């Protein structure tokens, strides 16, 4: 029997450690188990977080082994090679497939009831592989998807338009990476059409401005990696948001990576699309309105993911 108030984090590099921190101070969990092939690293991260628990809500953080994940209701998979400057997420795949295979084999030996949240990149393909390797129901294997990309889009739009990013309603969908797309056709500012709001804000060529914003979102990770070597704060906050939706059974709509069966003309592939997220994980994929061009872009993104999986299988 698993306990949803117990969470495991596998891999405590930059991303995993930051996820552990955001989850420990979130108030969502009573226990957090950190597992890493470098046990000393896991011990140090656990101690560092524990020393600040007095400033937050109670949470017991420990370094453990796979056996210590047996009761965890949610397990974050952040193990994997780091993305190098100039390296695409897809180029990471070959290096991270073997790591994921080892992680899943050891994890499923002790726990077959948890919800798995894959954060390692390329997240869409690795989420597909995690579902195949684990044999878990598709709804219990999800990835962080385009949750962070969507947050970046909302932030940049909010900054450009002078509005609270929480009032920007728009999605980035598809691959978390180079083939992702912005759904401009239904984007709005608290119900006001985005193009109309752009004109009100004095933007005379909305299409050009929105294209620049999309490119900034798409390339954000590369720019941050070039500047400081890795990205981890944003994804740490995104993981906290996904965990919150699961633990609190919110039925929130988030563009996580989930297995798609028959939606948007895509079948049997994992992509970041708006999905209802609750206690059972990915509970339902939503078919949001897309323009013909957006639908074609999403299907091309799905084909890119399928080609990568086919190469691995080959």
């Amino acid at each position: 029997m698993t306990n949803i108030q117990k969470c495991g984090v596998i891999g405590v590099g930059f991303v995993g450690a930051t996820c552990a921190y955001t989850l420990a101070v979130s108030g969502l969990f009573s226990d957090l188990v950190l597992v890493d092939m470098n046990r000393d690293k896991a011990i140090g991260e656990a101690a560092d977080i524990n020393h600040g628990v007095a400033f937050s809500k109670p949470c017991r953080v420990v370094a453990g082994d796979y056996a210590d994940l047996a009761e965890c209701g949610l397990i974050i998979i952040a193990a994997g090679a780091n993305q190098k400057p100039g390296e695409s997420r897809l180029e990471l795949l070959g290096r991270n497939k073997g790591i994921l295979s080892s992680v899943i084999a050891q994890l499923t030996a002790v726990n077959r009831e948890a919800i798995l949240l894959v954060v390692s990149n390329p997240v869409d393909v690795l989420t597909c592989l995690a579902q195949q390797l684990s044999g878990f129901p598709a709804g219990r294997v999800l990835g962080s998807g385009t949750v962070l990309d969507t947050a970046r889009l909302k932030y940049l739009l909010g900054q450009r338009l002078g509005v609270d990013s929480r009032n920007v309603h728009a999605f980035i969908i598809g691959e978390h990476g180079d083939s992702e797309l912005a759904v401009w056709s239904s984007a709005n500012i608290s119900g006001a059409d985005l193009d109309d709001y752009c004109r009100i804000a004095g933007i005379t060529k909305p299409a050009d401005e929105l294209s620049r914003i999309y490119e900034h979102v798409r390339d954000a990770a590369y720019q941050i990696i070039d500047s400081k070597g890795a990205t981890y704060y944003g994804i740490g906050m995104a993981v906290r948001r996904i965990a919150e939706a699961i633990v609190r059974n919110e039925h929130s709509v988030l563009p996580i990576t989930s297995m798609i069966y028959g939606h948007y003309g895509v079948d049997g592939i994992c992509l970041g699309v708006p999905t209802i997220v609750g206690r059972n994980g990915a509970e339902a994929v939503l078919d949001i309105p897309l323009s013909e061009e957006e639908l074609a872009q999403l299907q091309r993104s799905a084909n890119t993911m399928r080609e990568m999986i086919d190469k691995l299988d080959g």
Side-chain angles (χ1 to χ4, degrees), residues 15-199:
V15 170
T18 307
C19 290
Y21 168 74
T22 62
L23 295 174
V25 301
S26 69
L28 294 170
F29 300 103
S30 61
D31 294 85
L32 200 59
V33 180
L34 311 185
V35 176
D36 195 278
M37 61 184 298
N38 181 348
R39 187 173 176 81
D40 286 342
K41 179 73 160 60
I43 291 171
E45 297 292 357
D48 199 6
I49 296 171
N50 276 326
H51 295 165
V53 166
F55 305 120
S56 184
K57 295 179 181 179
C59 180
R60 189 174 74 101
V61 185
V62 300
D65 299 311
Y66 281 89
D68 299 304
L69 300 173
E71 295 181 356
C72 292
L74 175 64
I75 297 174
I76 314 299
I77 299 177
N82 292 327
Q83 189 173 11
K84 298 177 180 178
E87 181 180 37
S88 74
R89 292 181 179 91
L90 294 181
E91 289 171 336
L92 279 174
L93 181 55
R95 295 198 291 146
N96 280 341
K97 179 188 176 184
I99 295 172
L100 180 68
S101 299
S102 174
V103 165
I104 294 296
Q106 295 176 82
L107 172 58
T108 53
V110 299
N111 187 333
R112 298 196 59 82
E113 297 179 12
I115 294 172
L116 307 184
L117 174 54
V118 179
V119 182
S120 307
N121 279 319
V123 68
D124 305 288
V125 177
L126 292 182
T127 300
C128 283
L129 290 175
Q131 198 275 326
Q132 294 170 5
L133 292 167
S134 67
F136 284 13
R140 285 203 285 115
V141 183
L142 47 151
S144 51
T146 52
V147 173
L148 175 56
D149 309 79
T150 294
R152 287 168 172 157
L153 179 66
K154 291 182 177 184
Y155 167 75
L156 291 171
L157 280 172
Q159 290 289 299
R160 183 64 182 87
L161 299 176
V163 298
D164 187 334
S165 61
R166 293 172 297 180
N167 297 129
V168 176
H169 304 290
F171 286 111
I172 294 286
I173 63 174
E175 174 204 0
H176 171 57
D178 300 336
S179 67
E180 65 186 28
L181 63 135
V183 183
W184 296 126
S185 61
S186 60
N188 65 87
I189 309 298
S190 288
D193 180 79
L194 181 59
D195 282 346
D196 291 341
Y197 201 97
C198 284
R199 293 186 182 93

Side-chain angles (χ1 to χ4, degrees), residues 250-265:
E250 291 181 346
H251 305 294
S252 296
V253 177
L254 298 170
I256 60 165
T257 297
S258 57
M259 182 64 74
I260 301 177
Y261 292 111
H263 299 271
Y264 305 105

Side-chain angles (χ1 to χ4, degrees), residues 268-285:
I269 202 73
C270 289
L271 280 180
V273 292
T275 303
I276 297 175
V277 181
R279 180 60 188 86
N280 296 314
E283 298 186 346
V285 172

